[in-house]
Amino acid sequence: MSADPNLDDLLDRLRPRSTREALAEIEAARRAAESREPQRTIIPDPELPPLWPHPDSGIVRFPCALECSWAHEEDVHDIDVEPISVPLYAGAEELNRVLTERAERRSAKVRARVEAAVREHFARAHPGQEPPQRDVW
């Protein structure tokens, strides 16, 4: 035990888990994932970028679901420009909260941009047809 409760919390989280504990945690995560309801989206399956140092590394492509030549591109290197601001005295829970909120904001912005691009593409290239939806888990 140290004088810092945040350090004790961190050290407790880092301690090696028994095989039984690890398997129980994996099983609980699997059950939770199976019980979730799928969400519907018009965002097509992304084509993931090649690895660095390829010139297109970091460019995620969202091709038209109707397989025309159009695709919306997102540069993942440009997405993460928001600075991270965490108080020096922040504990593990505060740090987790700040990073989670930041990730959720970024995710919502990307989702909105891609959905808007898909809707605009369908309005121009496929008038009168709605973008197909797919289930995402």
Side-chain angles (χ1 to χ4, degrees):
M1 295 294 282
S2 72
D4 185 356
N6 290 328
L7 178 60
D8 291 337
D9 178 49
L10 179 61
L11 292 174
D12 184 52
R13 290 180 191 213
L14 292 176
R15 75 173 170 77
R17 301 212 188 294
S18 71
T19 304
R20 184 176 305 233
E21 288 174 316
L23 289 175
E25 187 176 328
I26 291 169
E27 180 62 22
R30 186 189 64 74
R31 279 194 305 268
E34 286 178 349
S35 68
R36 287 189 322 195
E37 291 293 320
Q39 296 178 333
R40 307 283 293 161
T41 184
I42 63 168
I43 298 175
D45 280 326
E47 293 175 358
L48 299 179
L51 297 176
W52 188 87
H54 190 279
D56 289 336
S57 69
I59 306 296
V60 178
R61 298 181 80 245
F62 296 90
C64 178
L66 300 182
E67 298 182 1
C68 69
S69 61
W70 177 88
H72 174 73
E73 295 182 346
E74 286 282 328
D75 186 345
V76 296
H77 299 301
D78 286 344
I79 292 173
D80 196 15
V81 295
E82 180 183 340
I84 299 173
S85 178
V86 181
L88 291 174
Y89 56 83
E93 289 178 10
E94 176 72 4
L95 181 61
N96 183 43
R97 184 191 62 75
V98 167
L99 294 177
T100 300
E101 287 175 0
R102 181 174 182 268
E104 288 171 354
R105 281 192 308 274
R106 288 175 42 214
S107 175
K109 288 177 185 177
V110 170
R111 191 171 34 255
R113 266 196 319 268
V114 175
E115 285 178 351
V118 168
R119 289 189 193 287
E120 182 179 334
H121 166 68
F122 268 78
R124 289 183 179 180
H126 311 289
Q129 186 168 2
E130 287 293 315
Q133 294 188 357
R134 65 183 182 92
D135 287 339
V136 290
W137 300 93

